[in-house]
Amino acid sequence: MRFITADQKNMMRFRNDPRIMQALESVPGFNEAVAVGLKADVLLTEIEQQAESANLIDLDAIVSQGDIPDSWLESIGTNHLKAEIAERKLRLVRELRGRAAAHLESAAIYGMDEILSQLNSQLQPILASIEMAVAELGEAWNMAEAVDAGTAEAWRKLIQLRSEYNTLRASQQKVMAEVRDSLVIAKSSRTRDDRASETHIRNLDDIWPEWASPLDTTGQSIVPGINPALVLDRGEDSQPWPENDDEFMVWAVRNDVELWIPTIAQLRELSETRFERSFDREAARRSGWVN
């Protein structure tokens, strides 16, 4: 899309990502703006060529003929008028192209939830295929065990699918780049692992109950209203899944991990729900003290 400029930073970031561009097609007004922008590119080329031809006056040819034709002076005025009209057309079409590009940028910003929702729709069939590949692994948890079990082909399928999964995660990161700082709560402070986030795992509270709670100075979990003895707390970088990307996918399937690409609205809803639960637990605990 030639009409996208460096000023449209989101679109510049998205234009080489086919998954995001596909998702953008569902955002209202996006396809219309693309159509206008592409048409404007074609018109600009045509008008520029017309303007160039209008300014071509071969004075040497007139000298060679040895006479000044009456039509020449008339053509000067005609060509000048054509050049002015072409210049006005160029200004207006360029402005139109700029507005189309601005509409695309607006779609990329205000249609963020729609884009993320579409990316999640693209993710689901990949996850379904990953579940099938894991089922074919038998009892294997890693590549070596898959080879020993004779299910190496299933492991190769898993690697390919995990690569597609990672591609979608990269698309998700591009879309969420503008709001990442405002969604710190979605990422665990206990680990450097990006997967320890509700942007990756919907049921993270069930998979790793203390993920959103900070550590105190003694390295114990601070979970208001919860008996520390009931919380499995292994300190920093204590996420319960394997580090290896492929092994993580096996672990996720076998532990009922709900992988997803959430919208911003869904993330905020999860955050509010967690706050309400924590508040209720703390209120119950303090009430117990009083009684």
Side-chain angles (χ1 to χ4, degrees):
M1 298 182 190
R2 285 177 49 202
F3 63 95
I4 297 177
T5 69
D7 293 334
Q8 282 78 49
K9 57 181 180 180
N10 285 292
M11 288 308 304
M12 286 295 292
R13 188 167 67 245
F14 297 164
R15 65 185 300 179
N16 293 323
D17 191 316
R19 293 185 180 275
I20 295 179
M21 297 305 291
Q22 178 184 343
L24 271 167
E25 292 178 1
S26 65
V27 177
F30 178 81
N31 291 326
E32 292 79 0
V34 169
V36 170
L38 293 176
K39 179 63 175 178
D41 279 341
V42 173
L43 287 175
L44 283 174
T45 300
E46 294 176 353
I47 297 170
E48 287 168 355
Q49 291 173 349
Q50 293 171 6
E52 290 176 1
S53 63
N55 290 322
L56 291 178
I57 301 176
D58 193 348
L59 300 179
D60 289 332
I62 295 175
V63 173
S64 299
Q65 293 175 6
D67 186 25
I68 301 176
D70 294 337
S71 61
W72 177 64
L73 290 176
E74 295 178 2
S75 69
I76 292 176
T78 301
N79 287 342
H80 180 72
L81 182 59
K82 288 181 178 178
E84 284 190 348
I85 293 174
E87 182 58 35
R88 182 167 179 79
K89 287 181 178 179
L90 285 173
R91 287 200 307 270
L92 290 175
V93 175
R94 283 171 182 153
E95 181 179 350
L96 184 61
R97 183 178 67 167
R99 294 196 180 192
H103 275 271
L104 294 187
E105 181 71 4
S106 178
I109 296 174
Y110 297 105
M112 188 176 298
D113 269 4
E114 180 63 29
I115 298 170
L116 290 169
S117 178
Q118 290 297 319
L119 290 179
N120 187 58
S121 295
Q122 296 177 37
L123 177 66
Q124 297 313 307
I126 295 175
L127 293 177
S129 296
I130 287 175
E131 288 186 13
M132 293 175 61
V134 171
E136 294 171 4
L137 284 175
E139 300 297 321
W141 281 89
N142 53 48
M143 182 173 63
E145 292 180 4
V147 172
D148 290 342
T151 56
E153 181 59 30
W155 191 265
R156 280 191 286 270
K157 290 181 185 177
L158 177 65
I159 292 175
Q160 180 181 356
L161 291 165
R162 190 266 306 157
S163 178
E164 295 179 27
Y165 171 90
N166 285 353
T167 298
L168 267 174
R169 286 297 182 196
S171 299
Q172 177 191 15
Q173 290 178 3
K174 291 177 186 177
V175 175
M176 297 187 65
E178 296 295 319
V179 296
R180 190 177 305 280
D181 291 341
S182 65
L183 292 170
V184 174
I185 187 61
K187 172 72 172 67
S188 177
S189 61
R190 290 171 168 266
T191 177
R192 293 159 291 185
D193 193 322
D194 289 337
R195 294 168 294 193
S197 166
E198 286 176 326
T199 60
H200 285 234
I201 301 174
R202 184 201 298 260
N203 59 336
L204 193 55
D205 284 334
D206 299 327
I207 300 303
W208 189 20
E210 69 272 26
W211 75 272
S213 302
L215 293 170
D216 66 13
T217 55
T218 62
Q220 296 299 313
S221 180
I222 303 173
V223 185
I226 295 293
N227 183 343
L230 301 178
V231 178
L232 182 59
D233 185 1
R234 291 162 291 213
E236 294 181 359
D237 288 328
S238 59
Q239 60 275 9
W241 52 77
E243 182 177 352
N244 179 274
D245 284 349
D246 300 316
E247 294 174 19
F248 168 80
M249 302 311 302
V250 178
W251 182 89
V253 170
R254 293 176 177 173
N255 286 274
D256 297 322
V257 176
E258 298 177 16
L259 298 171
W260 70 336
I261 294 179
T263 64
I264 306 304
Q266 288 172 321
L267 287 173
R268 286 175 177 153
E269 182 180 356
L270 281 178
S271 178
E272 291 169 2
T273 301
R274 185 185 317 104
F275 175 79
E276 291 172 359
R277 287 201 305 265
S278 297
F279 181 85
D280 291 343
R281 286 198 299 261
E282 182 65 10
R285 184 170 68 91
R286 290 178 179 272
S287 177
W289 285 352
V290 173
N291 295 334

